[in-house]
Amino acid sequence: TTAWFGIRLGPSTFGIFDAFPDDAGRQAHLSGKVAAALMAKTEELFSSPPVIERIDVLAAKLPE
């Protein structure tokens, strides 16, 4: 994960935005140990199953 952000989408809706250098990094993260451990505790940690949406950043401005 190059960078990540915890975000609030609404009063009780939250998300995590993860950035990766390439799709291989994204795939490794989604199929890794942390993702597996999180999904194993879904019922304990969340009121409903998490939704993973993949997006592609088309443009960005980052600090130098």
Side-chain angles (χ1 to χ4, degrees):
T1 306
T2 303
W4 68 270
F5 304 87
I7 59 174
R8 181 189 306 259
L9 299 166
S12 62
T13 305
F14 301 89
I16 297 173
F17 175 86
D18 290 312
F20 305 96
D22 53 31
D23 194 52
R26 177 168 44 185
Q27 293 300 328
H29 180 76
L30 291 173
S31 62
K33 292 180 183 179
V34 173
L38 183 63
M39 291 309 235
K41 293 193 170 268
T42 297
E43 290 183 19
E44 180 182 334
L45 299 173
F46 303 106
S47 60
S48 60
V51 176
I52 298 173
E53 296 186 22
R54 297 177 186 199
I55 64 166
D56 294 315
V57 175
L58 301 178
K61 181 178 184 235
L62 300 172
E64 293 182 34

